[in-house]
Amino acid sequence: PKTKYANNNVAGVVTGLAWTSMGGDILFIESSMAKGKGKLTLTGNLGDVMKESATIALQFLKAHHDWLDLDANVFNKYDVHMHVPEGATPKDGPSAGITMLTSLASLFTQRKVKKNIAMTGEITLRGDVLPVGGIKEKILAAKRADIKELILCEKNKQDIDEINEEYLKGLSFHFVSNMREVLDIALSNQKVKDALTVQ
Amino acid sequence: PKTKYANNNVAGVVTGLAWTSMGGDILFIESSMAKGKGKLTLTGNLGDVMKESATIALQFLKAHHDWLDLDANVFNKYDVHMHVPEGATPKDGPSAGITMLTSLASLFTQRKVKKNIAMTGEITLRGDVLPVGGIKEKILAAKRADIKELILCEKNKQDIDEINEEYLKGLSFHFVSNMREVLDIALSNQKVKDALTVQ
Amino acid sequence: PKTKYANNNVAGVVTGLAWTSMGGDILFIESSMAKGKGKLTLTGNLGDVMKESATIALQFLKAHHDWLDLDANVFNKYDVHMHVPEGATPKDGPSAGITMLTSLASLFTQRKVKKNIAMTGEITLRGDVLPVGGIKEKILAAKRADIKELILCEKNKQDIDEINEEYLKGLSFHFVSNMREVLDIALSNQKVKDALTVQ
Amino acid sequence: PKTKYANNNVAGVVTGLAWTSMGGDILFIESSMAKGKGKLTLTGNLGDVMKESATIALQFLKAHHDWLDLDANVFNKYDVHMHVPEGATPKDGPSAGITMLTSLASLFTQRKVKKNIAMTGEITLRGDVLPVGGIKEKILAAKRADIKELILCEKNKQDIDEINEEYLKGLSFHFVSNMREVLDIALSNQKVKDALTVQ
Amino acid sequence: PKTKYANNNVAGVVTGLAWTSMGGDILFIESSMAKGKGKLTLTGNLGDVMKESATIALQFLKAHHDWLDLDANVFNKYDVHMHVPEGATPKDGPSAGITMLTSLASLFTQRKVKKNIAMTGEITLRGDVLPVGGIKEKILAAKRADIKELILCEKNKQDIDEINEEYLKGLSFHFVSNMREVLDIALSNQKVKDALTVQ
Amino acid sequence: PKTKYANNNVAGVVTGLAWTSMGGDILFIESSMAKGKGKLTLTGNLGDVMKESATIALQFLKAHHDWLDLDANVFNKYDVHMHVPEGATPKDGPSAGITMLTSLASLFTQRKVKKNIAMTGEITLRGDVLPVGGIKEKILAAKRADIKELILCEKNKQDIDEINEEYLKGLSFHFVSNMREVLDIALSNQKVKDALTVQ
Ligand SMILES: [Ca+2]
Ligand SMILES: [Ca+2]
Ligand SMILES: [Ca+2]
Ligand SMILES: [Ca+2]
Ligand SMILES: [Ca+2]
Ligand SMILES: [Ca+2]
Ligand SMILES: [Ca+2]
Ligand SMILES: [Ca+2]
Ligand SMILES: [Ca+2]
Ligand SMILES: [Ca+2]
Ligand SMILES: [Ca+2]
Ligand SMILES: [Ca+2]
């Protein structure tokens, strides 16, 4: 419960929000690629449901490659590795879905992720964003970590409405219902420094 | 128990009916494809029997590709991913069989699924539709979710006959005995917007 | 315990006999094929011993392809899927062996299975048919399901001799000791309607 | 405990001896082949140690292919399936080693196994035959099953010496220390009827 | 708890620090390569989290091959085996991350690792070094093992500040925040004797 | 506890020393090869740590193929099977490391192993030999089995020094610290009879 927002210098790194019995915290989704054949490797002590989220995010990106001006074949030419620090902490659940999608989108486009933004939300294969639990704890953790903007499912708006406004100062919210909105909000048009040529 | 029928804009998305100790609910089967070699990926916290249903549905479609004017080779040219939200809920049992079949049929043909329709029924490899349990709870959930039409196994008609007619108002039923009937009823002749060219 | 004999219109579908703590019942072995590389997929909530029976049946057919005028290479050109409804019921044991063999033989030859016939018996890799348990319960279930003819291992004849003749009315029995007899009895010379060209 | 010696008409079928808490019995090792790529499939409810015995037997045969005038490449051109009836009985232990070796040797050479012979003994990768347990019970079972000749490890001779001679009447023994002796004794020079051309 | 620093004559061998209920100790990460296809083999009785560290280290090196003047394709031309003696001791946790990274970097570049240096720290896929536990015990073990220099995460500096200065005599510390610093400090510019030509 | 040293006529067979709650014993490592693609098969009821030892030994040999005048490519042209009799006895631990290395070295070079020699010691991937436990019991077992020479880790010398000299009569010891010494001592320059041409 003391992680801080880092920076947005590296493609594929996105800030999410976690919620455990210990309270809320931010977490990072980190994706990296190497020439390969489309294999997806997942590390970070992840449970089965969280691994499924990564699979869904990657398939969604494949199916909507045109949204990001990606060539459909690019996904079979790289192996992708997604890691969620810290390795000693077991993690599970579907709530990192939109964070994983954004991570992969940033990786394949080499576009920067917007600064000081964090997000939490389940994804579906058709592109809907679903609400998740622990919103209050996650919001408090986001503030402590210097997050300024948050992406949440529109169905989680009611959870925000129940939080004392005092706690929300300095935070702006994006309530979304589908993954296109997530990508439009989260991805900067600027590429990272020393961007790879992904093709 | 508060999911709503969404829409039929996306190919491969079909509304099914679930029944748990918590009561009935609707669920969605979502299928997506990408250029590949015929691999089937299943997500959504599915048990072994539910995974088997997806395998049977895909094999049935392969064996009856001519029903839908599909080329037999098309199944070896795409990887298919089938997901059943929500990821945190474990799901099992054979009752999503006809929903999965319809999902795959819609995906490969890119034809729309009929509006406001839901279905539940086990499938067999020879094409029969078998009855399933929890019909009363599933029907009530369907109504709450704005479903108008239901496809059920003809052997489940007796379960409907036992329900107070009051509860059935506004619902129309299709009682089927084989999978051809399911596809004839569920699939619209209209393609989805921006339909893929599957070949 | 209320399944009925269906029909013999589909290649690869054969009626077997099951015996559980709930009594006897008929069951169906359903096999389907698709262009592939010789993979065998098994569904229906099957235990390891029952899965082994399917493997033995397929290997036996490969080794004796000439019995059925099949080309030896045909087995490497198709993937086979064998399913045993109903998916929610766990099944195990070796007694479906001859039913599985007949199912695969019907599938690859596209020959009809004889009408109103059912069978139960373990198979060996050398082609012997071995006796199985639960004969009395299985026979009673067969009658209820409108079965007229039964194939049993000759070593199960003694189990039939112990059953009150009253119960056996309308049933005729084939007692066999090897798999060639099974195929000679069970397979019709007539092909199914719209038979596939398997080559 | 009522299995009988069958016959030696089929290549790859050899009679072994089993010993369980229920007493001794004979068992059959059955091997079958099909054009393939060298895959070994094992069925019959076998434990890990018994599966290892089959692996050792196959590797030993590969390494000593010249003993039987086999081409070294033949092992990569066929898939082998080894089955040990009866499927419902779990089996384990290393004592079927020489029986499995003889089965594979008969299969690849298509030579008959000597009539009314049975055997039991562990094998090693260098070709030694090791002693096994339960000799007394196995011998009694062999007699009941009409076995006339037995192959045992020479280190099991002491177990035979302790058996009342009365029980040994009509049995002749081969005490061996290596696998070449086993094959020399067990394999007839005569091929089976309708022998395959293995090449 | 009596292992000694060895030497730096072999590429791919790096000294790490372990911490168990028995106290601190040094451990060695040993990597070796052979012509192959990019497979990573891990031995040494490693738990899942520790295996994940090796995967992350290898992926990080692939993604930053230019740092070490390595060709991107070289990783697909060799199989890598990483071992952590002693085999009888189970090991787990993420703290060997920077040690594993250094081991792989030394292996692929064939550069010597600096003499009498040890390190401990978790790695992330984006290249950050994270703090680890057991610093006091690890430091004491390092001294006993004749280590002179230590690489630690800068966030572990506070743990050092709490140790009695008496115990730190003869030790110099490098506090790092990212993996580039680790490699700059740990890798000598000198190649090992009889260095392989890795290409 | 009654195994005897056998002979050194077969390449790939080496005598090791085991230590269980039942006391010490000798054991044999047997390796065999066949034309293949570099697959390593392990049998003999081995635990994970013992399997890892075999993997390390093979990798070490690959990395140091020049020590034995072996071509680097030879390892990808053969499948290796390593077996440790007796199959019914579970075995584990790292102490067979140097025995496995010697077995593989003898197999690939087809050189005889020195007569009446046995060994025990853990290996590391960099080539060090590590001490192992149970030395007293292993030495006593070696004498009973007619072993004349022993290879041990130099760090196990202290265990020998504690044994009553009476028990050591007739035994000579080689205390080694690395794997090159092991191979120099254990491998004869003479090839086995009917040596294979490994290339
Ligand atoms: Ca944290
Ligand atoms: Ca999140
Ligand atoms: Ca719901
Ligand atoms: Ca359903
Ligand atoms: Ca039934
Ligand atoms: Ca049956
Ligand atoms: Ca029996
Ligand atoms: Ca036997
Ligand atoms: Ca130590
Ligand atoms: Ca470390
Ligand atoms: Ca022994
Ligand atoms: Ca040893």
Side-chain angles (χ1 to χ4, degrees):
Chain A
K2 52 183 163 12
T3 314
K4 285 279 171 192
Y5 173 79
N7 64 53
N8 63 343
N9 295 335
V10 181
V13 179
V14 188
T15 308
L17 298 169
W19 174 47
T20 69
S21 57
M22 310 265 296
D25 199 358
I26 65 167
L27 58 74
F28 301 108
I29 305 294
E30 308 179 335
S31 296
S32 173
M33 69 204 314
K35 279 282 179 188
K37 298 180 172 178
K39 203 177 71 162
L40 174 62
T41 300
L42 300 168
T43 55
N45 216 334
L46 311 183
D48 287 347
V49 171
M50 198 163 178
K51 284 180 183 167
E52 288 191 352
S53 290
T55 311
I56 298 165
L58 183 54
Q59 170 57 24
F60 188 81
L61 206 58
K62 284 183 192 174
H64 298 83
H65 57 91
D66 54 327
W67 285 10
L68 299 166
D69 282 324
L70 293 169
D71 188 272
N73 295 315
V74 89
F75 299 98
N76 297 319
K77 294 182 182 165
Y78 290 87
D79 292 336
V80 172
H81 184 140
M82 184 185 285
H83 177 62
V84 190
E86 310 162 354
T89 309
K91 309 162 194 78
D92 208 353
S95 79
I98 62 173
T99 326
M100 287 173 157
L101 177 75
T102 305
S103 171
L104 293 173
S106 164
L107 180 70
F108 277 98
T109 61
Q110 294 285 305
R111 287 162 61 184
K112 280 189 159 191
V113 175
K114 204 165 173 180
K115 241 178 161 172
N116 295 105
I117 201 166
M119 61 195 73
T120 184
E122 178 172 352
I123 56 178
T124 71
L125 202 46
R126 103 180 85 167
D128 287 343
V129 176
L130 303 182
V132 300
I135 291 297
K136 188 175 177 185
E137 291 79 359
K138 287 173 170 177
I139 296 304
L140 298 180
K143 269 198 80 166
R144 283 193 307 269
D146 293 329
I147 297 299
K148 307 296 180 203
E149 273 180 87
L150 283 150
I151 306 178
L152 300 176
C153 175
E154 65 178 7
K155 283 177 184 153
N156 277 129
K157 189 170 186 313
Q158 63 193 73
D159 302 282
I160 298 296
D161 294 342
E162 289 166 5
I163 302 176
N164 189 321
E165 289 200 12
E166 192 69 25
Y167 295 124
L168 304 177
K169 263 189 202 159
L171 290 176
S172 70
F173 291 90
H174 302 270
F175 296 106
V176 303
S177 59
N178 64 61
M179 280 140 84
R180 189 149 207 171
E181 295 170 86
V182 174
L183 296 181
D184 286 348
I185 296 163
L187 286 187
S188 151
N189 283 321
Q190 195 184 352
K191 295 218 171 188
V192 294
K193 210 186 136 199
D194 301 323
L196 299 175
T197 307
V198 181
Q199 66 189 6
Chain B
K2 51 182 164 10
T3 314
K4 284 279 171 192
Y5 172 79
N7 65 52
N8 63 343
N9 295 336
V10 182
V13 179
V14 188
T15 308
L17 298 169
W19 174 47
T20 69
S21 57
M22 310 265 294
D25 198 359
I26 66 167
L27 58 74
F28 301 108
I29 305 294
E30 307 179 336
S31 296
S32 173
M33 69 205 314
K35 279 282 180 189
K37 297 180 172 177
K39 203 177 71 161
L40 174 62
T41 301
L42 300 168
T43 55
N45 216 335
L46 311 183
D48 287 346
V49 171
M50 198 162 178
K51 284 181 183 168
E52 287 191 352
S53 290
T55 311
I56 298 165
L58 182 55
Q59 170 57 24
F60 188 81
L61 206 59
K62 283 184 193 176
H64 297 83
H65 56 91
D66 55 327
W67 285 10
L68 299 166
D69 282 322
L70 293 168
D71 188 90
N73 295 315
V74 89
F75 299 98
N76 297 318
K77 295 182 183 163
Y78 290 86
D79 291 336
V80 173
H81 184 139
M82 184 184 285
H83 177 62
V84 190
E86 309 162 353
T89 310
K91 309 163 194 78
D92 208 353
S95 79
I98 62 173
T99 325
M100 287 172 157
L101 176 75
T102 305
S103 171
L104 293 174
S106 165
L107 180 69
F108 277 99
T109 61
Q110 295 286 304
R111 287 162 60 182
K112 281 190 158 188
V113 176
K114 205 166 172 180
K115 242 179 159 169
N116 296 105
I117 200 166
M119 62 193 74
T120 184
E122 178 172 353
I123 57 178
T124 71
L125 203 45
R126 103 180 85 166
D128 287 345
V129 175
L130 302 182
V132 299
I135 291 297
K136 189 175 177 184
E137 291 80 359
K138 287 172 170 177
I139 296 306
L140 298 179
K143 269 198 82 165
R144 283 193 307 269
D146 292 330
I147 297 299
K148 306 297 181 202
E149 274 180 86
L150 284 149
I151 305 179
L152 300 176
C153 174
E154 65 178 6
K155 282 176 184 154
N156 277 128
K157 189 172 187 311
Q158 62 193 71
D159 301 283
I160 298 296
D161 294 343
E162 289 166 6
I163 301 177
N164 190 320
E165 290 199 10
E166 193 69 25
Y167 295 123
L168 303 177
K169 262 188 201 160
L171 290 175
S172 71
F173 291 90
H174 302 270
F175 296 106
V176 303
S177 59
N178 64 61
M179 280 139 84
R180 189 149 205 171
E181 295 171 87
V182 174
L183 297 180
D184 285 347
I185 296 163
L187 286 187
S188 151
N189 283 322
Q190 196 183 350
K191 294 218 172 190
V192 294
K193 211 186 137 199
D194 300 324
L196 299 175
T197 306
V198 181
Q199 65 189 5
Chain C
K2 50 182 166 8
T3 314
K4 285 280 171 192
Y5 173 79
N7 65 52
N8 64 343
N9 294 336
V10 181
V13 179
V14 188
T15 308
L17 298 169
W19 174 46
T20 69
S21 59
M22 309 265 295
D25 199 358
I26 65 168
L27 59 73
F28 301 108
I29 305 294
E30 307 178 335
S31 296
S32 172
M33 69 204 314
K35 279 283 180 188
K37 296 181 173 178
K39 202 177 70 162
L40 174 62
T41 300
L42 300 168
T43 54
N45 217 333
L46 310 183
D48 287 346
V49 171
M50 198 162 178
K51 284 181 182 166
E52 287 192 352
S53 290
T55 311
I56 299 165
L58 183 55
Q59 169 57 25
F60 188 81
L61 206 60
K62 283 184 192 174
H64 297 83
H65 57 90
D66 53 328
W67 285 10
L68 298 167
D69 282 323
L70 293 169
D71 188 271
N73 295 316
V74 88
F75 299 98
N76 298 320
K77 295 182 184 164
Y78 290 88
D79 291 337
V80 172
H81 184 139
M82 184 185 285
H83 177 61
V84 189
E86 308 161 354
T89 310
K91 309 163 194 80
D92 207 353
S95 79
I98 62 173
T99 324
M100 287 172 157
L101 176 75
T102 304
S103 170
L104 293 174
S106 165
L107 180 70
F108 277 98
T109 61
Q110 295 285 305
R111 287 162 60 182
K112 280 190 157 188
V113 175
K114 205 167 173 180
K115 241 180 159 168
N116 296 106
I117 200 167
M119 63 193 74
T120 184
E122 178 172 353
I123 58 179
T124 72
L125 203 45
R126 103 180 86 167
D128 287 343
V129 176
L130 302 182
V132 299
I135 292 296
K136 189 175 175 184
E137 291 79 359
K138 287 172 170 177
I139 297 305
L140 296 180
K143 269 198 79 166
R144 284 193 306 268
D146 292 329
I147 298 299
K148 306 298 179 201
E149 274 180 88
L150 283 150
I151 305 179
L152 300 176
C153 174
E154 65 178 7
K155 282 175 185 155
N156 277 128
K157 188 171 187 312
Q158 62 193 72
D159 300 282
I160 297 297
D161 295 342
E162 288 166 6
I163 301 176
N164 189 321
E165 289 200 10
E166 193 66 27
Y167 295 122
L168 303 178
K169 262 189 202 160
L171 290 175
S172 71
F173 291 90
H174 302 270
F175 296 106
V176 303
S177 60
N178 65 62
M179 279 139 84
R180 188 148 206 172
E181 295 171 88
V182 174
L183 296 180
D184 286 347
I185 295 163
L187 286 186
S188 151
N189 282 322
Q190 197 184 349
K191 295 219 170 188
V192 293
K193 212 185 137 199
D194 299 323
L196 299 175
T197 306
V198 181
Q199 65 188 4
Chain D
K2 51 183 165 12
T3 314
K4 285 281 172 192
Y5 173 80
N7 65 52
N8 64 342
N9 294 336
V10 181
V13 179
V14 188
T15 308
L17 298 168
W19 174 47
T20 69
S21 58
M22 310 265 295
D25 199 359
I26 65 169
L27 59 74
F28 301 108
I29 305 294
E30 307 178 336
S31 296
S32 173
M33 68 204 314
K35 279 284 180 188
K37 295 181 174 180
K39 202 178 72 163
L40 174 62
T41 300
L42 300 168
T43 54
N45 216 333
L46 309 183
D48 287 347
V49 172
M50 198 161 178
K51 284 180 183 168
E52 288 192 352
S53 290
T55 310
I56 300 165
L58 182 55
Q59 169 57 24
F60 188 82
L61 206 60
K62 283 183 192 175
H64 297 83
H65 57 90
D66 54 327
W67 285 10
L68 298 167
D69 282 323
L70 293 169
D71 189 89
N73 296 315
V74 88
F75 298 98
N76 297 320
K77 295 182 183 163
Y78 291 87
D79 291 337
V80 172
H81 183 138
M82 184 185 283
H83 177 62
V84 189
E86 308 163 357
T89 309
K91 309 164 195 79
D92 207 353
S95 79
I98 62 173
T99 325
M100 287 172 156
L101 177 75
T102 305
S103 170
L104 293 174
S106 164
L107 180 70
F108 276 97
T109 61
Q110 295 284 305
R111 286 162 61 182
K112 280 189 156 188
V113 175
K114 205 166 173 180
K115 240 179 160 169
N116 296 106
I117 201 167
M119 63 194 73
T120 184
E122 179 172 353
I123 57 179
T124 72
L125 203 46
R126 102 180 87 167
D128 287 343
V129 176
L130 302 182
V132 298
I135 292 296
K136 189 175 174 183
E137 291 78 0
K138 287 173 170 177
I139 296 305
L140 297 179
K143 269 199 78 166
R144 283 194 307 268
D146 293 330
I147 298 298
K148 306 297 178 200
E149 273 180 89
L150 283 150
I151 305 179
L152 300 177
C153 175
E154 65 178 8
K155 281 176 185 154
N156 277 128
K157 188 171 185 313
Q158 62 193 72
D159 301 282
I160 297 296
D161 293 344
E162 288 165 7
I163 301 176
N164 189 321
E165 289 199 10
E166 193 66 28
Y167 294 122
L168 303 177
K169 262 189 202 159
L171 290 176
S172 71
F173 290 91
H174 303 271
F175 296 106
V176 302
S177 59
N178 65 62
M179 278 140 84
R180 188 147 205 172
E181 295 170 88
V182 174
L183 296 181
D184 286 347
I185 295 163
L187 286 187
S188 151
N189 283 322
Q190 198 184 347
K191 295 219 170 188
V192 294
K193 212 185 137 199
D194 300 322
L196 300 175
T197 306
V198 181
Q199 65 188 5
Chain E
K2 52 182 165 8
T3 314
K4 285 280 172 193
Y5 173 79
N7 64 53
N8 64 343
N9 295 334
V10 181
V13 179
V14 188
T15 308
L17 298 169
W19 174 46
T20 68
S21 58
M22 310 266 295
D25 199 359
I26 65 167
L27 59 73
F28 301 108
I29 305 293
E30 308 178 336
S31 296
S32 172
M33 68 205 314
K35 279 282 180 189
K37 298 180 173 178
K39 202 177 73 163
L40 174 62
T41 301
L42 300 168
T43 55
N45 216 334
L46 310 183
D48 287 346
V49 172
M50 197 163 179
K51 284 181 182 168
E52 287 192 351
S53 289
T55 310
I56 298 164
L58 183 54
Q59 170 57 24
F60 188 82
L61 206 59
K62 284 183 193 175
H64 298 83
H65 57 90
D66 54 327
W67 285 9
L68 299 166
D69 282 324
L70 293 168
D71 188 272
N73 296 315
V74 89
F75 299 99
N76 297 319
K77 294 182 182 164
Y78 290 87
D79 291 336
V80 172
H81 183 140
M82 184 185 283
H83 177 63
V84 190
E86 308 164 356
T89 309
K91 309 162 194 78
D92 207 353
S95 79
I98 62 174
T99 326
M100 287 172 157
L101 176 75
T102 306
S103 170
L104 293 174
S106 164
L107 180 71
F108 277 98
T109 60
Q110 294 285 304
R111 286 162 61 183
K112 279 189 159 190
V113 175
K114 205 166 172 180
K115 241 179 160 169
N116 295 105
I117 201 166
M119 63 194 73
T120 184
E122 178 172 352
I123 57 180
T124 71
L125 202 46
R126 103 180 85 167
D128 287 342
V129 176
L130 302 182
V132 299
I135 292 296
K136 189 176 177 186
E137 292 80 358
K138 287 173 170 177
I139 297 303
L140 297 179
K143 268 198 78 165
R144 284 194 307 268
D146 293 329
I147 297 299
K148 306 296 180 203
E149 272 179 89
L150 283 150
I151 305 178
L152 300 176
C153 176
E154 65 178 6
K155 283 178 184 151
N156 278 128
K157 190 171 185 312
Q158 62 193 73
D159 302 282
I160 298 296
D161 294 343
E162 289 166 6
I163 302 177
N164 189 321
E165 289 200 12
E166 192 68 27
Y167 295 124
L168 303 178
K169 262 189 202 159
L171 290 176
S172 71
F173 291 90
H174 302 270
F175 296 106
V176 302
S177 59
N178 65 61
M179 279 140 85
R180 189 148 206 173
E181 294 170 88
V182 175
L183 295 180
D184 286 348
I185 295 163
L187 286 187
S188 153
N189 283 321
Q190 196 183 350
K191 295 218 170 188
V192 295
K193 211 185 136 200
D194 301 323
L196 299 175
T197 306
V198 180
Q199 66 189 5
Chain F
K2 51 183 165 11
T3 314
K4 285 280 172 193
Y5 173 79
N7 65 53
N8 64 343
N9 295 335
V10 182
V13 179
V14 188
T15 308
L17 298 169
W19 174 47
T20 68
S21 59
M22 310 265 296
D25 199 0
I26 65 169
L27 60 74
F28 301 109
I29 305 294
E30 307 178 336
S31 296
S32 173
M33 69 204 314
K35 279 282 180 189
K37 297 180 174 178
K39 201 178 72 163
L40 174 61
T41 301
L42 299 168
T43 55
N45 216 334
L46 310 183
D48 287 347
V49 172
M50 197 163 179
K51 284 180 183 169
E52 288 192 351
S53 289
T55 311
I56 299 165
L58 183 55
Q59 170 57 24
F60 187 81
L61 206 59
K62 284 183 192 175
H64 297 83
H65 56 90
D66 54 328
W67 285 10
L68 299 166
D69 282 323
L70 292 169
D71 189 89
N73 296 314
V74 88
F75 299 98
N76 297 319
K77 295 182 182 165
Y78 290 87
D79 291 336
V80 172
H81 183 139
M82 185 185 283
H83 177 62
V84 189
E86 308 164 356
T89 309
K91 308 163 195 78
D92 207 353
S95 80
I98 62 173
T99 325
M100 287 173 156
L101 176 75
T102 306
S103 170
L104 293 174
S106 164
L107 180 71
F108 277 98
T109 61
Q110 294 285 304
R111 286 162 61 183
K112 279 190 157 188
V113 175
K114 205 166 173 181
K115 240 179 161 168
N116 295 106
I117 202 167
M119 64 194 72
T120 185
E122 178 171 353
I123 58 180
T124 72
L125 202 46
R126 101 180 89 167
D128 286 343
V129 176
L130 302 182
V132 298
I135 292 296
K136 189 175 176 186
E137 291 79 0
K138 287 173 171 179
I139 297 303
L140 298 179
K143 268 198 79 166
R144 284 194 308 267
D146 293 329
I147 298 299
K148 306 297 179 201
E149 273 180 89
L150 282 150
I151 305 178
L152 300 176
C153 175
E154 65 177 7
K155 282 176 185 154
N156 278 128
K157 189 171 185 312
Q158 62 193 73
D159 302 281
I160 298 297
D161 294 343
E162 289 166 6
I163 301 177
N164 189 321
E165 289 199 13
E166 193 67 27
Y167 294 123
L168 303 177
K169 263 190 202 157
L171 289 177
S172 70
F173 290 91
H174 303 270
F175 296 106
V176 302
S177 59
N178 65 62
M179 278 139 85
R180 188 147 206 172
E181 294 170 89
V182 174
L183 295 181
D184 286 347
I185 296 164
L187 285 187
S188 153
N189 283 320
Q190 197 184 349
K191 295 219 171 188
V192 294
K193 211 185 137 201
D194 300 324
L196 299 175
T197 306
V198 180
Q199 66 189 5

